[in-house]
Amino acid sequence: MTPRAILRVVSEYRWPIYLGGLLTMSIGACGVLVWVATRPDSPRPIKGYYEAARAWDATEAVEDASRQLGWTVRYELPADVPHYPGMPRPVDVRVATREGAPVSGLSGRLLAGRPSDGRPNEEGTLTELPQQPGTYRTLVRLDEPGAWEMRLDTRQQALRFVHRARMTVPGDEALPPGRAR
């Protein structure tokens, strides 16, 4: 076959050749994906995903029971306590009933993480302030200004209460050298 004849055949059948090439490429790409996914040493997409899926029902039941209580939670950074960059800072957590009465006697922890990170990276144990019933304080490192996700996980005897909210952390003010807040 001469080069001219080959060009004429390609020109006459260009659309079937084009569609056949696309079909071949997609079948080849799917074959590579199947090969990568079925290798014995292929990693899990999310670490512990199976265990988390099994525990999802129990976790959702605890969150639903916590919502049914109607308790309100406020997260605050106390202004009267100095904060030094790079060090944990105090976070006050106020828990009140639906009627507004403070909830005392909780024990638990506060998990703080950046929403963009997707995992909690700071954890602090709650301590109730004796002079303010229903107010708890913990120390967590919140170095970056911006949005932080706060997850509260507490217990009061047999009752477990969880809460999740976002909080905006202000940036540190520029201070003259040698001065700390």
Side-chain angles (χ1 to χ4, degrees):
M1 205 179 240
T2 65
R4 180 172 275 208
I6 293 173
L7 286 175
R8 187 173 57 85
V9 169
V10 168
S11 176
E12 288 177 12
Y13 297 103
R14 67 178 170 260
W15 285 109
I17 292 171
Y18 175 71
L19 293 174
L22 285 176
L23 182 61
T24 303
M25 286 188 326
S26 66
I27 290 172
C30 288
V32 168
L33 288 174
V34 167
W35 176 74
V36 168
T38 58
R39 289 181 310 169
D41 62 339
S42 64
R44 284 181 159 184
I46 300 170
K47 200 171 207 166
Y49 73 97
Y50 181 72
E51 294 78 13
R54 290 184 65 200
W56 185 85
D57 287 335
T59 303
E60 187 62 27
V62 168
E63 289 181 3
D64 187 48
S66 296
R67 281 190 293 272
Q68 295 296 323
L69 286 173
W71 291 0
T72 58
V73 179
R74 273 192 6 223
Y75 302 95
E76 297 175 351
L77 299 174
D80 59 335
V81 179
H83 169 252
Y84 300 97
M87 298 297 292
R89 73 188 323 165
V91 176
D92 285 351
V93 180
R94 298 180 198 279
V95 183
T97 63
R98 186 174 305 195
E99 294 79 26
V103 177
S104 292
L106 293 175
S107 63
R109 61 194 178 137
L110 176 71
L111 302 163
R114 300 287 293 192
S116 59
D117 194 2
R119 64 180 188 260
N121 55 7
E122 290 296 322
E123 180 177 338
T125 304
L126 295 172
T127 304
E128 188 167 12
L129 299 177
Q131 69 275 18
Q132 299 175 358
T135 301
Y136 303 86
R137 182 167 285 174
T138 186
L139 293 174
V140 291
R141 204 164 100 196
L142 306 173
D143 284 340
E144 300 290 324
W148 284 80
E149 183 172 293
M150 302 295 183
R151 292 190 222 168
L152 186 65
D153 189 356
T154 61
R155 290 192 180 275
Q156 186 183 49
Q157 297 167 354
L159 174 70
R160 183 173 175 210
F161 176 73
V162 295
H163 184 265
R164 182 182 304 209
R166 290 223 173 147
M167 174 180 175
T168 302
V169 174
D172 291 327
E173 300 167 4
L175 296 175
R179 297 243 354 228
R181 277 209 300 175

